[in-house]
Amino acid sequence: MTNQSVWMHIGAGSFHRAHQAWYLHKLREQGDDSWSIALGNIRNDAAPLLQQLAAQDGEYVLETVTPDGERAYETITSLRKILPWDNNISALVEQGSKSETRVIGFTVTEAGYYLTPEFELDLTQPDVQADVKGDIRTIYGALARILTQRVTNGGAPVTLLNCDNLRHNGERFRHGFLAFLTAKGDNALASWVRENTTSPNTMVDRITPRPTPDVAERVKAATGKDDGAAVMAESFIQWVIEDDFIAGRPALEKVGVELVESVLPWEEAKIRILNATHAAIAWAGTLIGLNYIDDSTRQPTIYQLAYDYVTQDVMPSLSPSPLDLAEYRDVVLARFSNPYIKDTNQRVGADGLSKIPGMVTPTLRECYQRGAEPAATAVLPALFFLFLQRWASDDLPYTYQDGVLQADALRQQFSRSDALNAFLSDSALFGELAQDKAFHALVTRSVADLQLWLKQPERALAAV
């Protein structure tokens, strides 16, 4: 077996193991074992999983399921090195500093980039401040430490590859990282990064719920394996990457990855049609007492509000497009309706404070720019307002997770009589629309209509 080239991935969650690791596994199945993955994590929350994977020699079973309930099982073999966690991310630094590591990939939540609404690095964030002083809480602090050692070891070029849902993820990460290095006073490393790394934009897609105990039970029944690291996902998978790798790459085009000049049309369709709709369904389902995305999507009113949001507002915003947007909408809603996935509203509804400005506000803005009232899109921030209202009243059925949530300040805001006005006036969420009276009036009407709907969820929404 040859392992001349290593893809080091930061972020040991389920998504990486159901997505990028699957593609590299398929290459190995074809006989191309010239690339393998070394997997690690910045924080210690994945330490038990990394230990489990190490005990299993990096192998684990991936269960996939179609909307018709057909399940398939594969043992994934592309993780050839598990990097144990410690406070100094020593194993990540050692592996990332080697010239054989030609790609450093990472999976970060939208909130994990610590960007302002103008997509500048938010240097006021405590985690960012800590990393500027030398800590390792963010992707920026971790990469600064890894690449400093890489330069010391000779400084071979390396591709820094986002595998997540941030719009324009490569360029926005890169802008944030260089701003971080400037704030740190590390101009030499910033100069090296500019000359010796690339950051292609990417679009990734595969619904991957957090594994529940029944996944391991089905894996055991189907394969006979006791797998403490089994993961499950939908059968659908997609990966679009701008072909801008500075130090070589796996032959990903041989396993279905789309290598393109610009990822923008795919990215915009995914973020607005899939990600924004996903979050809206999660918030709406939670508000009427449902726990799962599939149950929520199959509620006629929720399905309709999602369908109308895409059809009335998103599709005109993204046209013309190389994608068949109507077909993409229908495929997405069918995927969300898959009763065998059991993705939770809790997982999908997380990080709303980053999802609204990143995924929803652009459509609101573009509707107004072309002279259209975004009535269907206004339902999304209205849903999120009612969702946050429940959160502020400790009336959600689960813990809401949001990387930029400042809980005390938000609870105080929602205790005021003008909470909705304060929410709509937040430029971090809505940019210049925060000062727009027509926008305020539109969302206020949507909130009122949703409040009526919540008293009688079987009725249609007037705004739809």
Side-chain angles (χ1 to χ4, degrees):
M1 181 178 71
T2 58
N3 274 332
Q4 305 102 339
S5 300
V6 174
W7 176 303
M8 186 175 86
H9 197 82
I10 302 172
S14 300
F15 180 72
H16 167 73
R17 296 189 299 119
H19 193 274
Q20 301 99 58
W22 179 85
Y23 281 104
L24 269 75
H25 165 72
K26 300 312 279 185
L27 269 181
R28 298 175 74 85
E29 273 192 337
Q30 293 181 6
D32 180 354
D33 62 358
S34 59
W35 283 79
S36 64
I37 297 172
L39 181 64
N41 216 53
I42 296 174
R43 298 181 179 178
N44 67 352
D45 52 359
L49 172 64
L50 292 172
Q51 291 164 5
Q52 183 67 47
L53 284 167
Q56 297 178 190
D57 296 323
E59 296 189 357
Y60 58 94
V61 175
L62 169 66
E63 175 194 57
T64 57
V65 62
T66 70
D68 297 325
E70 295 173 23
R71 298 183 189 272
Y73 298 87
E74 290 179 273
T75 298
I76 305 300
T77 62
S78 52
L79 305 190
R80 308 311 300 163
K81 194 169 187 179
I82 304 301
L83 306 172
W85 182 87
D86 64 36
N87 279 309
N88 293 311
I89 61 168
S90 307
L92 280 169
V93 171
E94 182 185 0
Q95 183 64 56
S97 68
K98 294 179 178 178
S99 59
E100 69 185 38
T101 300
R102 300 177 186 278
V103 174
I104 298 177
F106 41 91
T107 307
V108 181
T109 65
E110 294 89 346
Y113 286 104
Y114 301 95
L115 300 179
T116 69
E118 295 74 39
F119 305 106
E120 300 294 333
L121 180 65
D122 186 352
L123 289 164
T124 68
Q125 292 282 346
D127 287 345
V128 176
Q129 289 180 339
D131 282 15
V132 165
K133 295 169 185 168
D135 210 340
I136 322 169
R137 300 187 192 178
T138 73
I139 188 66
Y140 306 117
L143 284 172
R145 187 166 296 202
I146 291 164
L147 296 179
T148 296
Q149 186 61 45
R150 190 176 181 95
V151 172
T152 299
N153 287 15
V158 64
T159 300
L160 306 175
L161 192 73
N162 305 61
C163 301
D164 50 45
N165 290 328
L166 182 70
R167 179 186 273 102
H168 312 311
N169 52 14
E171 57 199 81
R172 285 190 176 152
F173 149 74
R174 190 176 186 83
H175 186 68
F177 186 36
L178 290 170
F180 171 81
L181 294 176
T182 299
K184 208 170 184 291
D186 201 339
N187 296 322
L189 184 57
S191 178
W192 182 89
V193 166
R194 288 189 188 95
E195 295 295 320
N196 295 280
T197 72
T198 53
S199 307
N201 293 313
T202 70
M203 188 276 269
V204 295
D205 192 5
R206 180 172 241 180
I207 296 171
T208 308
R210 294 191 185 106
T212 49
D214 56 318
V215 176
E217 292 166 12
R218 287 194 301 271
V219 166
K220 170 75 169 175
T223 68
K225 293 183 179 180
D226 287 306
D227 189 344
V231 65
M232 75 91 66
E234 65 172 340
S235 53
F236 180 95
I237 190 167
Q238 189 176 26
W239 197 4
V240 186
I241 312 174
E242 292 175 355
D243 197 358
D244 185 23
F245 291 75
I246 199 170
R249 62 167 175 80
L252 294 168
E253 69 277 7
K254 293 182 178 177
V255 288
V257 178
E258 297 169 80
L259 282 302
V260 300
E261 187 176 332
S262 171
V263 81
L264 189 63
W266 288 269
E267 177 183 76
E268 286 298 322
K270 159 86 185 320
I271 286 172
R272 300 201 205 192
I273 296 177
L274 187 142
N275 295 120
T277 307
H278 217 187
I281 289 169
W283 300 328
T286 299
L287 289 171
I288 62 169
L290 299 174
N291 294 320
Y292 295 102
I293 289 292
D294 64 295
D295 294 331
S296 305
T297 307
R298 289 197 301 274
Q299 288 289 314
T301 305
I302 295 177
Y303 186 98
Q304 193 67 44
L305 73 84
Y307 184 96
D308 289 347
Y309 151 70
V310 175
T311 307
Q312 295 175 15
D313 292 352
V314 176
M315 287 168 56
S317 296
L318 298 187
S319 297
S321 172
L323 290 80
D324 184 330
L325 296 174
E327 180 184 29
Y328 187 67
R329 171 202 62 205
D330 294 346
V331 168
V332 162
L333 291 173
R335 289 165 62 195
F336 292 168
S337 303
N338 186 338
Y340 305 99
I341 291 291
K342 288 301 168 199
D343 205 1
T344 62
N345 289 332
Q346 179 180 21
R347 185 191 81 83
V348 176
D351 287 315
L353 294 169
S354 298
K355 287 175 176 172
I356 289 288
M359 299 176 176
V360 180
T361 298
T363 302
L364 291 167
R365 184 184 298 121
E366 287 163 20
C367 285
Y368 281 118
Q369 285 170 350
R370 65 172 183 269
E373 184 183 63
T377 306
V379 175
L380 277 65
L383 283 167
F384 186 54
F385 171 79
L386 293 168
F387 177 90
L388 285 180
Q389 195 174 54
R390 292 265 186 100
W391 167 83
S393 303
D394 293 317
D395 195 25
L396 287 180
Y398 50 72
T399 300
Y400 172 60
Q401 295 164 317
D402 197 311
V404 297
L405 178 67
Q406 295 179 339
D408 291 344
L410 199 60
R411 286 186 196 281
Q412 193 171 14
Q413 177 184 317
F414 271 81
S415 69
R416 289 161 38 187
S417 59
D418 65 342
L420 178 55
N421 183 62
F423 171 77
L424 294 172
S425 300
D426 187 346
S427 61
L429 294 175
F430 302 111
E432 68 277 11
L433 292 178
Q435 308 305 319
D436 188 306
K437 291 181 180 178
F439 170 67
H440 279 235
L442 176 62
V443 180
T444 300
R445 290 198 302 273
S446 294
V447 168
D449 192 55
L450 285 167
Q451 287 170 325
L452 289 173
W453 170 67
L454 289 174
K455 295 175 183 174
Q456 202 176 352
E458 66 279 1
R459 68 181 279 274
L461 284 167
V464 173

